[in-house]
Amino acid sequence: MRLAEHAGEWIDRTKTLDFSYEGTRYRGFAGDTITSALWASEVSVLGRSFKYHRPRGVLSLANHDVNVMLQDGARINVRADVTELIADANWHSVNTFGGVAGDRARWIGKLAPFLPVGFYYKAFYSKRWFPRWERMFRNMTGLGQVALDAPHIRTPKRYGFCDVLVIGAGPSGLSAALTAAERGADVVIVDENARSGGSGTYQLGGDNARFHTVRALDEKVRAHPRIRVQTSTLAAAYYADHWVPLVDATRITKMRAKAIVVASGAFEQPAVFRNNDLPGVMLASAAQRLAYRYSVSPGERVVVLTANADGYRAALDMLARGIVVTAVVELRASHRFGELAHELEARGVEVMTSSCVVEAVPNKAGDRLAAVRIGALPPVGTAAVSTSTREIKCDTLLMSVGWAPAANLLYQAGTSMRYDKTVEQFVPDRLPEGVFACGRVNGVFSFDSKLQDGRRAGELAAIHSGHAASAATFGEYAVIVPAEPESPSHAWPIVAHAAGKNFVDFDEDLQLKDFANAVQEGFDNIELLKRFSTNGMGPSQGKH
């Protein structure tokens, strides 16, 4: 499944690494993650779901889900999507009884009608049955096995200081860092990924000009004497007075900044339809990361489900990397990026508007996507399902229907957010003193606008940290960035199905019908609904 070499790929093809997964030996390249190496070796079942033990594969490839959570001895609950491959590791999936392929708990999915939302509360309510339920839950729940002989590792700490701390090294973050440094500020820019550049290195729309623009910007940032770049580093929290712990593999740095720019981006959100968790159904950004970062083909025959320009660009990226794209299924009746659709149609890709994926069809083994059934999009918020469907053969479905801001740090800093209907997401309304936001977390998605928004935030952060700018310069970057031409997120990318298995929370195996049942039982307050259903309470909390 390896693709041709790409200038921005993260792998080193001259250095191979052997490793084991579930008792079988595999080989990858230095720079691969565990997941990318396995997907390149045509391993599509990479884990089992928590409740029903359904087969799971790649979803986000960005640490935004835990479909692929592994263990090797004392290394427990490792997120394989973002963990670099190491030689001679012996990985096993957590949450299985007898391994991924022969998981003895896979029959639980057939008992789903007897395990409705909130069943555990009712089970614990009975004093008679409580001990039996407790033993069963203790045996079946929990992720990974604690190694009692695991060595105790002490992690050192250090202290750091800067004028401006930029969190996120994507296009807007790089632009903010360079602007602040050019105004005289001492800048630190951090990113949790192994390399900087963010979406500017893999969401290209088949046009390498965007890649070269971001690469040139990245080179300027790294060459600037007042900028320190720290990759593979997580900004773990926000504390008072711009105190941010930066965590990497070897230490924690207690960074104190005079101003902070949050350019943390957004989490791509899955669509909801029957069997939307099948291996082969993944977010479009995951497929783009596979294709550009690791030169791995997400599949051989692709269909794209979209409601934004990003989906069309993902289709063009697949074509640019030599992958067959059969069709683009567009939820909307019309949009403002017609040139992208025309370009795809000119290359033989069918574009179907006002349509949806009603159901993902598994192969005979039930462990990989084999086809999708397409129908007319039902009215928003209804339970109606199209009775007339068309089946399209494919082994990969890419979902690009919307985004949610990665605003965790902004909330911790005390930011007041508001819901912006023009982009269908929460955006900063009132930021605390010395805290600035730019890029997708700020509701800005267009490439040029992200660069401009980064310059604006970097300018204001430099001024706040004591590096004054001329009135003309301040006026240039204090202006409001142009509004998005259309919303990047669909308000309701949800298709009900009488047979269920349309998952909203992949961690907890929560289906669309679970929410209706919870409301029917009286948990109609959103906070109670969350707790009764356990929605968003798994390891991916806050990301979908």
Side-chain angles (χ1 to χ4, degrees), residues 137-223:
F137 287 142
R138 284 188 180 277
N139 288 331
M140 298 197 66
T141 57
L143 297 174
Q145 295 181 348
V146 174
L148 299 179
D149 59 347
H152 184 80
I153 300 173
R154 295 187 180 275
T155 305
K157 67 178 179 180
R158 66 180 178 184
Y159 295 88
F161 301 89
C162 63
D163 292 328
V164 177
L165 172 63
V166 180
I167 301 170
S172 61
L174 291 171
S175 180
L178 186 61
T179 300
E182 288 176 343
R183 300 297 178 261
D186 173 39
V187 178
V188 171
I189 180 170
V190 301
D191 197 291
E192 65 181 338
N193 290 287
R195 298 191 187 184
S196 50
S199 62
T201 61
Y202 61 86
Q203 289 184 324
L204 309 180
D207 182 6
N208 280 331
R210 180 177 296 192
F211 169 76
H212 293 304
T213 298
V214 173
R215 198 168 196 179
L217 179 60
D218 190 25
E219 289 173 355
K220 287 182 180 179
V221 166
R222 291 180 176 277

Side-chain angles (χ1 to χ4, degrees), residues 451-476:
L451 296 178
Q452 183 178 349
D453 200 32
R455 290 193 292 268
R456 175 199 59 80
E459 178 80 15
L460 296 177
I463 293 171
H464 182 84
S465 64
H467 299 274
S470 67
T473 303
F474 181 83
E476 178 185 353

Side-chain angles (χ1 to χ4, degrees), residues 51-52 109 111-117 272 274 494-504 509-521 529 532-533:
K51 183 177 177 181
Y52 298 132
L111 300 180
F114 304 100
L115 303 173
V117 61
V272 178
R274 178 167 165 75
I494 296 172
V495 178
H497 197 288
K501 300 298 186 292
N502 37 12
F503 292 94
V504 178
D509 274 348
L510 285 173
Q511 306 171 55
L512 182 61
K513 66 180 182 181
D514 289 330
F515 297 91
N517 290 339
V519 170
Q520 186 181 35
E521 294 202 29
L529 176 65
F532 182 70
S533 66

Side-chain angles (χ1 to χ4, degrees), residues 26 33 62 79 114 146 155 176 185 190 225 250 257 274 283 290 317 354 413 422 424 443 449 513 537:
Y26 296 98
T33 65
R79 300 197 179 201
F114 304 100
V146 174
T155 305
V190 301
T250 59
R274 178 167 165 75
L283 299 174
L290 276 172
D317 279 329
S354 298
T422 62
E424 295 289 354
S449 294
K513 66 180 182 181
M537 294 170 66

Side-chain angles (χ1 to χ4, degrees), residues 21-22 37 48 64 205 221 226 366 392 411 459 503 526:
Y21 171 65
E22 295 282 317
R48 290 279 177 173
H64 301 163
V221 166
R226 284 191 292 274
I392 300 178
Y411 281 113
E459 178 80 15
F503 292 94
I526 192 65

